[in-house]
Amino acid sequence: MQQNKTPPSYGFMPQPNAPPPSYEQAMGVGPIPGQAHFVPTHTVPVYNPPGAGATPVVTQQIVTQVVTIGPHSTHMICPSCHADINSKTRSNPGLIAWVSGFLIALFGCWFGCCLIPCCIDECMDTHHYCPNCNAYLGRHGRV
């Protein structure tokens, strides 16, 4: 029994010193050179103002620096008005105050004792605002 040493013939043969075929060409789903394929007959007009030639491309680099905010006023640049500020702070009861108050009330101390965590600084969340434009800058939470 004699075996045939030549490989079987394939439909696509690349040209020597040519770039490899695209995925569509290799898989047979796109146009293959030498075969008929659909070519659109209309073109979309592109507006180019007279005398414009090549328009320069301007790139802008924005550098953002993360400022960590804490329980006290923080020196920063406001992202809204771009002013150099010390943030204005307001304290509101945070999650720890509400959970602590609920647990105190659950254990039977609901005649005002459950409001004590709302008066403790360590249970408060600090909200930071810009003094110039009053923009909200962030929150420092205890949890």
Side-chain angles (χ1 to χ4, degrees):
M1 176 180 255
Q2 187 166 353
Q3 294 180 351
N4 190 359
K5 299 280 183 183
T6 60
S9 175
Y10 296 105
F12 178 77
M13 294 296 294
Q15 300 293 329
N17 296 330
S22 67
Y23 176 78
E24 288 83 13
Q25 291 173 339
M27 297 307 292
V29 293
I32 297 175
Q35 290 185 351
H37 59 277
F38 174 75
V39 178
T41 57
H42 67 282
T43 59
V44 178
V46 176
Y47 177 72
N48 217 357
T55 54
V57 176
V58 178
T59 59
Q60 183 179 12
Q61 185 177 10
I62 298 173
V63 177
T64 305
Q65 197 171 18
V66 177
V67 177
T68 57
I69 56 176
H72 305 291
S73 181
T74 304
H75 184 79
M76 61 176 26
I77 294 176
C78 176
S80 296
C81 65
H82 303 291
D84 193 16
I85 59 160
N86 284 326
S87 64
K88 178 174 60 173
T89 61
R90 287 188 217 155
S91 295
N92 292 333
L95 182 63
I96 292 177
W98 293 111
V99 170
S100 300
F102 177 74
L103 290 175
I104 290 171
L106 190 67
F107 290 122
C109 298
W110 26 285
F111 288 114
C113 294
C114 60
L115 299 177
I116 292 174
C118 294
C119 300
I120 300 173
D121 287 337
E122 283 74 23
C123 296
M124 302 291 232
D125 286 351
T126 306
H127 299 272
H128 292 261
Y129 296 89
C130 175
N132 290 343
C133 64
N134 207 27
Y136 183 71
L137 301 173
R139 174 182 72 93
H140 173 73
R142 301 292 178 168
V143 177

